[in-house]
Amino acid sequence: MSITRRSLIATSAALALAASAGSAIAQQAKEVKLGYALAVNSHYGAAAQAWADSVEKGTSGAFKFKQFPSSALGGERELIEGLQLGTVEAVIVSTGALSNFVPDVGVVDIPFLFRDTQHARAVLDGAFGQELLGKFRARGLIALAWGEQGFRHLTNNKHAVQKVDDLKGLKIRVTENPVHITAFKTLGASPTPMSWPEVIGALQQGTIDGQENPISVLASAKLWQVQKHLTLTSHVYAPVALIVSPSFWGGLSDAQKASFTQGAKVGALASRAFVDAVEKKGVEEAKGHGMQVVTNVDQAAFRTALEPAYKQYAAKFGQKTLDAIAAVK
Ligand code: PAF
């Protein structure tokens, strides 16, 4: 056998060995199913990718994330139940359905609770927000970080909503969230709790008139295709929780837990950066697609109309808690 032929055989044998070693490593990587409601090119997708990259790198490939965007594993309620059952390892969800599982979370869903984005981030990253994450454990959920969607605004197909009275009788889809339901009832609308995967169809069919979500969701879901009017109410800040399943968590070493926690924080920051960017251009984009936008909303009038709801929130969550949140600089 010639030297060239012999060295060719040796090279292919070495390559085959390396390939099989590589696939053995790949096979060993534990799959992490990560579900979320929006498309890959959304703030959720940005958070998911950053979380996955950080953990995969931090654990030297011991884990491989498999993403299930666009509600592929069901609505947010199903995702949270999946965590409790251990059928999904990780999720990124809004607080929409969360307070049905962790009632204390409902406090962050109170309209006009946060003065602005900076205030919301300071509260969630501070002692209060971190303690709130700790409360998930008793409910069979391991919450690792707070990400963000932005402030929620109102869209509808009936007419331009300029003032509180314009909400009268409007059928507005809300999340399955008692705090939001109370708010929209108090404002005179007809709130219709509905899981996100049903919303676009319901708007198309006219079974609801409108919905409320941040600009990040409006842009990701191209809501201008099914909605005519946008009112920049900024009525409530929308946090996002990055959560893992307790059965999955229980099987991790301390170093791996640290990696998942660190990765969730990186993911949360990625969602915030995405929201910052999309909020700068999203409204213009909506206008460009023909949406009529009301920008000059009298928020004080909305707050006044919500007084009866604030009484209920104070009774439920404690005025002391609300004051402590307001006091955060
Ligand atoms: O409105 C909702 O249900 C949520 O904001 C959404 C769009 C599913 C994102 O979490």
Side-chain angles (χ1 to χ4, degrees):
M1 198 187 288
S2 73
I3 295 188
T4 333
R5 186 159 158 64
R6 216 178 290 141
S7 64
L8 255 178
I9 291 170
T11 313
S12 13
L15 280 175
L17 205 72
S20 77
S23 78
I25 289 168
Q27 271 164 23
Q28 279 162 19
K30 209 166 177 177
E31 185 177 275
V32 181
K33 289 191 284 302
L34 169 59
Y36 50 96
L38 299 167
V40 170
N41 62 349
S42 67
H43 49 303
Y44 280 18
Q49 198 52 50
W51 193 4
D53 288 346
S54 173
V55 172
E56 286 170 11
K57 194 163 169 235
T59 60
S60 309
F63 295 90
K64 180 88 195 129
F65 278 62
K66 185 165 180 195
Q67 296 187 34
F68 292 86
S70 305
S71 309
L73 299 178
E76 294 196 326
R77 178 184 279 275
E78 284 79 36
L79 285 181
I80 300 164
E81 284 166 356
L83 288 175
Q84 290 179 324
L85 294 169
T87 54
V88 56
E89 283 78 36
V91 306
I92 300 174
V93 287
S94 73
T95 51
L98 262 179
S99 54
N100 297 304
F101 296 83
V102 189
D104 285 344
V105 167
V107 72
V108 299
D109 296 316
I110 295 178
F112 304 109
L113 177 78
F114 297 115
R115 292 184 296 277
D116 51 26
T117 303
Q118 190 277 331
H119 181 212
R121 291 178 182 174
V123 170
L124 294 171
D125 294 344
F128 180 83
Q130 298 310 298
E131 269 169 38
L132 200 52
L133 288 179
K135 292 185 176 169
F136 283 63
R137 283 176 187 251
R139 306 289 168 158
L141 299 164
I142 310 292
L144 301 181
W146 291 114
E148 173 173 278
Q149 303 213 75
F151 277 86
R152 298 178 88 95
H153 308 290
L154 185 77
T155 67
N156 86 97
N157 275 334
K158 286 274 167 163
H159 51 244
V161 172
Q162 317 257 11
K163 52 188 186 320
V164 177
D165 262 9
D166 298 333
L167 274 168
K168 289 252 149 30
L170 277 188
K171 266 191 130 183
I172 303 296
R173 175 270 176 176
V174 292
T175 62
E176 300 159 81
N177 180 312
V179 171
H180 287 181
I181 296 168
T182 299
F184 277 89
K185 259 192 203 145
T186 309
L187 290 171
S190 178
T192 310
M194 189 182 281
S195 173
W196 176 250
E198 295 165 41
V199 174
I200 304 292
L203 289 170
Q204 274 164 340
Q205 286 157 22
T207 49
I208 48 173
D209 301 317
Q211 65 84 54
E212 45 83 57
N213 253 304
I215 297 299
S216 56
V217 176
L218 178 103
S220 159
K222 299 187 173 45
L223 282 174
W224 45 76
Q225 293 177 345
V226 286
Q227 291 280 261
K228 288 189 197 132
H229 301 280
L230 164 64
T231 303
L232 297 176
T233 45
S234 296
H235 55 274
V236 66
Y237 175 79
V240 165
L242 287 82
I243 320 177
V244 298
S245 122
S247 56
F248 173 71
W249 188 251
L252 300 182
S253 68
D254 285 349
Q256 289 168 340
K257 284 179 182 165
S259 186
F260 270 83
T261 306
Q262 172 60 17
K265 287 180 183 157
V266 173
L269 288 180
S271 72
R272 290 178 182 177
F274 194 103
V275 167
D276 285 343
V278 82
E279 294 228 329
K280 286 205 178 91
K281 52 180 199 255
V283 174
E284 286 313 308
E285 208 181 345
K287 281 185 190 161
H289 287 282
M291 279 193 107
Q292 304 295 310
V293 184
V294 175
T295 51
N296 53 341
V297 175
D298 181 357
Q299 290 190 336
F302 274 78
R303 270 196 223 109
T304 306
L306 282 165
E307 277 309 329
Y310 287 129
K311 289 206 175 78
Q312 294 181 45
Y313 300 146
K316 192 165 177 177
F317 301 108
Q319 190 57 46
K320 258 172 110 178
T321 305
L322 305 189
D323 292 344
I325 292 174
V328 174
K329 294 282 171 257

